[in-house]
Amino acid sequence: MDNPILQTRPCATAPRGRRLARVPSFLLFRLKPLSPPVPRCKPHPVQALPLRPRPATALAARQARPVPGVLACAVALAWCGLPTLPAQAQTAATPAAQPAPSAWDAPPALRSSPLLQEKIPEAVRSQLPVFVTGDRVEGQTDLNAVIEGNAELRRGDTVIRADRLDYNVPEDLAKAQGQVRINRAGNVYEGSALELRVEAFEGFFSDARYRFLATQAHGEATRVDFIDRDRAVVHNATYTTCERGNEASWQPDWVLRAATIRIDNEEEVGTAEDAVLEFKGLPILPIPYITFPLSDKRKSGLLPPTIGLDSRDGLAYMQPYYWNIAPNRDATLRAALMTKRGANLGGEFRYLEPTYKGEISGDVMPADRLRDRMRWSFMGKHEGWFDTALGGLGLNINLNRVSDDNYWRDFGRASEPLRQRLLPGDASLNWARGDMSASVRTLKWQTLQDVNSPIVPPYDRMPQLQWRYTPSHLGGGLDASVVLDSTRFQAARALTGQPNADRSFAVAQISRPFLAPAGFITPRLQLHATSYQFDTPLGNGDRSASRTLPTFSLDSGLVFERDAAYFGRAFLQTLEPRAFYTYTPYRDQSRLPVYDTAANDFNFATIYTENAFGGNDRLADNNLLTLGVTTRLLDPNNGAEAARFGIAQRVRFSDQKVTLPGGAPVSERLSDLLLGAGISWTPEWGFDSTVQYNPKTGRSIRSTIGARYSPGNYRTVSAAYRLQRGTSEQIDIGWQWPLNDLWGDKGQDLGAGRGQGGGRWYSVGRLNYSLQDRKLVDTVVGLEYDSCCWIGRVVLERLQSGVTTSNTRLLFQIEFVGFSRLSLGSSPLETFKQNVPRYQYLREQVSTPSRFSNYD
């Protein structure tokens, strides 16, 4: 070390009577390219060091024991800006001399720093200094540095390590040889020789190995050319996400071999040319050109094709293309060829703006040999809201249309809205300002009929006008609202058996809630007035009708609490009785047609309501009292509900005469009992049930009983029993469970979205069995195999598509993790998510990896 520029000298600010040991110059250098030389350590008076007052006892104790010379050296080096050497203070000789611990002796609390930024701003990056370390350093300040032995260069998020490193400061050029390693924001490259302009990140790497942070993909190449900080070209490259083993003969389960791979970290996409995909050492797919993701960011390009085989379509090949138009717009174009049916073309367009969003989708099959005709479908959605000087305006559109009645049966791969037999075409314009709102709505249905199970089409609303006023500041604690509505109902009279009509109604209600911690009481008064104008006369010759009815209700409840213990566990137990009385006088409504009204389901949500019907064509003549009680067990520490039990019943004081057409009046003084229970004693177990029980017959009318066991990720079993007396009785079972558990391999708890380790089999499925028909209605049974870097899935699916018809499909998929998926049939993932309760995807990135998770 003969160069005087690189020598270090003792700091002039050392305390009197102490000398600092000379620090070797190879510990640290700080080089800043294209900037004036950094001055060496300047003298600082000792008294200028900011100090905090300490407790007298601690200060005296510290003054009583000698301060090691190493500690003084470390303090002086800290003033000079040089690294400190570790030092540990000596302790007192006897425990009796130890002072009482104080806040001054406690270690400093750490807090987050804004300097740890995931991405370094461009304005800051150009000003970052360069740090170099090594066993031996030679060179001139701001000109060059040659580092030999454990050489390291660090600038911002870039770290270069090598056996030898030559750094030219004016050109910002680093040349490294021998076991070279680069860590660039978590992406790692290793090789034998490197030339790199550090800030621009331009240069090349010979005989390189690389690993990307986002996907954990890695590979080898003869050369890597760094174009800039975000782009690189890899020559004669391999690419895989399979973890490398320790043995020398290790080979990845799958690998992409390509003449050229272009990496674009800005777009987060990779492009391979003249490539071949190998699986288990066998080439399975030649690929002249392909793009693949480096993260979950959207990108344009061909999506993985789907090859299907089922009893309806035959052999089918489907090829989608994704177009990333803009950050807030994209489109997917798709083409399919089915051996039994013909060709199908379709596409989807999506948009997202600050005040509106939507999507448009359509498909067309020019000549479907299955039905010997052209088939098509269209779906459009739009939601928007705009603020204006007159108030907020909203426009909502939901349009669904298909070519024929059999579309829902023949296109099982269509989106969920198009697989229904009632397809809405709905558009509404809404306005709101302060306490008032208004809307204009049109709704027209397309009803897909089945000769074996015909349905009566619902009425179209052409149009519906509504105005609502809900004052938010009423005196005396009152709540009130007024609703005015006028609707034109249209449908084919030959199918409905009723005339079309204009119906207008007004509903006004006022209530006064009295609330207290121990309970509540809420009296409520409502007035409902309705008027009809019919296109054709009713059976009695009337072309109009009207009805005005008041309704009074009184809702009340109490809440009692006590400390309790069950099965050795402490709880806060509640007892919550509730009483609800309602009265509506009788008016003969048997002549009025029914346009939008149906009987409410009998459950805990509707038993405490004034009207037994949903809609505005029937107002039940009620004089009844509903009594119920609920008790809950709450965890006193976090308030979580461990158990809930409830019972409710109606007491009728007079016969209910108002019914829907064909319905029987209710004369029973006591309704069926509603029994409910929900138990979540531990997070692993769950139980829920609702039973409608008839005390006279001693039988349940409707029952729903469900249980769930989920001891951890990828382990869940659920079962449900559903009974509707005289209509249906079904058992439903769904599960996802590792088969390796059968032979004692419990796997690892790696968390959601990471699987449970490689080499594991999972069983996934759902069975729906009809006890009344003694047959399986829906069946989904599948297997998943997780090999860490690839996942195989096979599914047998049989879904009921009609009273006497069903469709059976065999689905197969192999997923190369971090690269692509190849499917035979529709995606098994979509089948699992739609049919298996609480299904978890084996590889779902829940958060973007940070560059600090792979920080050198």
Side-chain angles (χ1 to χ4, degrees):
M1 300 294 294
D2 298 329
N3 192 332
I5 298 181
L6 299 180
Q7 292 180 353
T8 59
R9 293 176 291 184
C11 182
T13 59
R16 182 174 299 177
R18 302 280 172 89
R19 294 187 62 188
L20 296 182
R22 185 181 299 272
V23 181
S25 60
F26 58 78
L27 287 179
L28 175 66
F29 280 92
R30 180 181 180 186
L31 306 178
K32 190 171 183 181
L34 303 180
S35 62
V38 179
R40 295 186 183 88
C41 177
K42 298 181 179 180
H44 295 277
V46 176
Q47 60 270 20
L49 182 64
L51 298 175
R52 291 187 297 176
R54 307 179 187 174
T57 56
L59 181 59
R62 290 177 182 273
Q63 290 175 345
R65 53 181 182 259
V67 180
V70 177
L71 179 59
C73 175
V75 173
L77 287 176
W79 291 350
C80 296
L82 295 176
T84 61
L85 299 177
Q88 183 175 359
Q90 299 176 359
T91 59
T94 61
Q98 294 277 357
S102 67
W104 175 260
D105 298 313
L110 300 179
R111 57 184 178 181
S112 59
S113 169
L115 298 179
L116 295 178
Q117 300 180 12
E118 195 63 42
K119 290 187 177 181
I120 301 176
E122 291 298 323
V124 176
R125 183 181 292 275
S126 60
Q127 302 175 8
L128 293 176
V130 175
F131 297 90
V132 297
T133 64
D135 295 339
R136 179 179 176 85
V137 180
E138 295 180 354
Q140 293 180 321
T141 304
D142 296 331
L143 292 178
N144 72 295
V146 178
I147 308 99
E148 295 182 347
N150 297 317
E152 178 181 310
L153 183 147
R154 182 183 297 270
R155 182 173 189 177
D157 56 4
T158 302
V159 179
I160 304 175
R161 289 192 172 98
D163 294 339
R164 175 185 171 88
L165 195 150
D166 187 344
Y167 179 60
N168 186 303
V169 178
E171 296 184 11
D172 194 25
L173 178 63
K175 296 181 181 181
Q177 295 177 354
Q179 298 184 6
V180 185
R181 172 187 170 93
I182 303 177
N183 187 325
R184 169 72 172 83
N187 296 325
V188 176
Y189 302 86
E190 296 177 329
S192 60
L194 168 71
E195 287 191 14
L196 182 70
R197 298 187 183 276
V198 180
E199 180 183 356
F201 211 76
E202 298 176 359
F204 69 90
F205 212 149
S206 299
D207 300 325
R209 298 180 302 276
Y210 56 89
R211 177 179 291 273
F212 300 128
L213 175 65
T215 61
Q216 291 299 301
H218 60 93
E220 299 177 352
T222 58
R223 179 184 171 103
V224 177
D225 290 328
F226 299 108
I227 308 303
D228 54 32
R229 288 194 297 268
D230 296 315
R231 280 166 283 274
V233 179
V234 187
H235 302 278
N236 299 321
T238 62
Y239 184 92
T240 183
T241 56
C242 297
E243 287 297 325
R244 179 179 292 275
N246 295 325
E247 63 275 10
S249 60
W250 174 84
Q251 292 293 330
D253 285 353
W254 72 268
V255 62
L256 179 71
R257 302 185 186 275
T260 303
I261 295 181
R262 301 181 184 275
I263 304 299
D264 190 334
N265 289 314
E266 182 179 14
E267 296 295 331
E268 298 179 0
V269 63
T271 303
E273 300 174 0
D274 297 331
V276 61
L277 180 63
E278 294 183 5
F279 181 64
K280 294 293 185 180
L282 298 176
I284 62 172
L285 186 64
I287 308 174
Y289 180 88
I290 189 174
T291 60
F292 54 92
L294 299 178
S295 69
D296 57 356
K297 183 179 178 180
R298 300 180 295 129
K299 67 180 184 66
S300 300
L302 291 172
L303 298 178
T306 299
I307 301 175
L309 180 63
D310 61 39
S311 57
R312 179 186 55 211
D313 302 336
L315 180 64
Y317 176 85
M318 286 148 282
Q319 178 61 66
Y321 176 83
Y322 180 78
W323 183 14
N324 185 22
I325 303 173
N328 60 337
R329 289 182 175 83
D330 65 3
T332 302
L333 307 177
R334 49 184 178 260
L337 182 62
M338 293 167 268
T339 57
K340 287 187 177 182
R341 302 178 61 178
N344 185 87
L345 299 175
E348 179 186 75
F349 171 70
R350 301 186 302 177
Y351 54 92
L352 177 63
E353 297 290 346
T355 58
Y356 63 90
K357 63 179 180 179
E359 61 180 286
I360 301 172
S361 178
D363 284 271
V364 61
M365 181 176 285
D368 186 357
R369 292 194 293 271
L370 181 65
R371 302 291 177 180
D372 195 24
R373 59 166 296 173
M374 184 179 75
R375 316 290 293 279
W376 56 267
S377 67
F378 177 82
M379 181 181 69
K381 291 183 178 180
H382 176 87
E383 298 177 10
W385 186 261
F386 304 91
D387 290 326
T388 68
L390 300 178
L393 286 178
L395 176 64
N396 297 320
I397 299 174
N398 180 23
L399 181 59
N400 303 270
R401 288 295 182 266
V402 296
S403 56
D404 55 90
D405 290 340
N406 292 306
Y407 197 93
W408 65 279
R409 190 198 318 271
D410 297 341
F411 290 86
R413 297 184 182 91
S415 59
E416 180 66 23
L418 298 180
R419 295 200 299 268
Q420 309 300 319
R421 294 182 60 187
L422 291 175
L423 305 180
D426 192 358
S428 62
L429 180 63
N430 307 292
W431 169 84
R433 183 177 183 180
D435 298 334
M436 292 187 293
S437 63
S439 65
V440 179
R441 181 188 183 191
T442 61
L443 172 62
K444 189 172 182 63
W445 296 92
Q446 182 183 9
T447 305
L448 308 185
Q449 296 289 3
D450 185 347
V451 294
N452 296 315
S453 58
I455 56 178
V456 177
Y459 277 87
D460 301 331
R461 301 169 187 250
M462 303 295 289
Q464 178 182 12
L465 308 177
Q466 189 176 94
W467 177 82
R468 182 183 299 270
Y469 175 61
T470 307
S472 55
H473 301 288
L474 285 180
L478 296 173
D479 288 340
S481 66
V482 178
V483 178
L484 305 179
D485 185 287
S486 181
T487 305
R488 170 67 179 174
F489 291 100
Q490 289 183 343
R493 183 168 184 175
L495 298 176
T496 63
Q498 297 182 150
N500 296 332
D502 293 321
R503 187 195 68 190
S504 301
F505 71 84
V507 178
Q509 69 88 22
I510 187 170
S511 62
R512 174 54 168 95
F514 296 91
L515 307 177
F520 69 94
I521 181 169
T522 304
R524 184 169 182 258
L525 183 63
Q526 176 179 291
L527 184 65
H528 195 295
T530 313
S531 174
Y532 294 86
Q533 298 293 328
F534 305 109
D535 287 355
T536 57
L538 300 178
N540 60 1
D542 292 343
R543 300 184 68 96
S544 64
S546 62
R547 175 199 60 196
T548 301
L549 279 172
T551 296
F552 170 77
S553 66
L554 181 66
D555 194 5
S556 61
L558 296 173
V559 179
F560 300 96
E561 295 181 352
R562 70 163 188 167
D563 294 326
Y566 298 98
F567 305 102
R569 184 176 172 185
F571 292 102
L572 178 67
Q573 184 177 8
T574 69
L575 184 67
E576 305 169 37
R578 185 176 180 182
F580 178 82
Y581 174 77
T582 182
Y583 175 77
T584 302
Y586 169 73
R587 294 290 187 273
D588 183 11
Q589 305 169 48
S590 58
R591 297 182 298 107
L592 299 179
V594 174
Y595 297 108
D596 64 352
T597 303
N600 284 334
D601 193 21
F602 188 66
N603 53 42
F604 281 99
T606 61
I607 197 171
Y608 297 103
T609 56
E610 291 90 347
N611 194 8
F613 307 103
N616 294 279
D617 297 311
R618 290 291 186 274
L619 295 178
D621 55 320
N622 287 328
N623 185 12
L624 55 86
L625 175 67
T626 302
L627 299 174
V629 62
T630 300
T631 181
R632 297 186 295 159
L633 298 180
L634 306 177
D635 190 312
N637 297 320
N638 53 27
E641 185 180 87
R644 179 190 71 258
F645 303 94
I647 183 173
Q649 188 176 33
R650 282 175 172 170
V651 181
R652 190 174 297 277
F653 300 110
S654 61
D655 295 349
Q656 179 183 329
K657 302 176 183 178
V658 177
T659 65
L660 291 172
V666 180
S667 59
E668 297 290 341
R669 289 295 179 260
L670 294 178
S671 72
D672 294 340
L673 273 172
L674 272 182
L675 305 171
I679 302 176
S680 300
W681 201 261
T682 65
E684 292 81 13
W685 286 93
F687 173 83
D688 194 73
S689 67
T690 302
V691 176
Q692 180 181 341
Y693 177 77
N694 190 314
K696 284 190 173 182
T697 62
R699 305 171 69 184
S700 63
I701 305 302
R702 289 194 314 163
S703 301
T704 301
I705 302 174
R708 169 191 57 80
Y709 176 56
S710 302
N713 290 317
Y714 309 105
R715 288 181 172 90
T716 181
V717 177
S718 61
Y721 170 78
R722 300 180 182 92
L723 167 68
Q724 184 140 359
R725 186 73 62 183
T727 303
S728 67
E729 187 177 9
Q730 294 183 341
I731 295 177
D732 195 279
I733 300 175
W735 71 91
Q736 180 185 22
W737 203 272
L739 291 177
N740 293 51
D741 286 4
L742 299 178
W743 49 87
D745 178 11
K746 298 298 182 180
Q748 308 171 58
D749 187 6
L750 302 176
R754 300 181 61 187
Q756 294 190 327
R760 297 182 61 75
W761 289 88
Y762 299 81
S763 175
V764 186
R766 176 175 173 263
L767 301 176
N768 184 271
Y769 182 78
S770 173
L771 296 173
Q772 182 173 299
D773 300 326
R774 296 184 179 181
K775 69 175 184 178
L776 284 170
V777 179
D778 292 331
T779 303
V780 175
V781 178
L783 291 174
E784 289 185 296
Y785 177 75
D786 184 1
S787 181
C788 280
C789 64
W790 65 272
I791 300 173
R793 301 181 179 93
V794 59
V795 181
L796 175 63
E797 177 190 84
R798 181 184 181 275
L799 301 178
Q800 201 80 13
S801 58
V803 177
T804 59
T805 60
S806 63
N807 185 47
T808 302
R809 298 191 297 177
L810 180 64
L811 311 178
F812 175 79
Q813 183 182 75
I814 182 170
E815 176 180 352
F816 302 104
V817 177
F819 181 65
S820 186
R821 298 188 187 118
L822 298 178
S823 300
L824 177 65
S826 295
S827 172
L829 277 178
E830 296 302 320
T831 297
F832 288 154
K833 291 178 180 179
Q834 291 174 6
N835 294 280
V836 181
R838 300 174 68 91
Y839 169 78
Q840 286 183 284
Y841 176 33
L842 293 176
R843 290 293 183 275
E844 187 168 21
Q845 185 170 295
V846 295
S847 62
T848 303
S850 168
R851 66 183 178 96
F852 297 106
S853 63
N854 189 26
Y855 186 77
D856 285 338

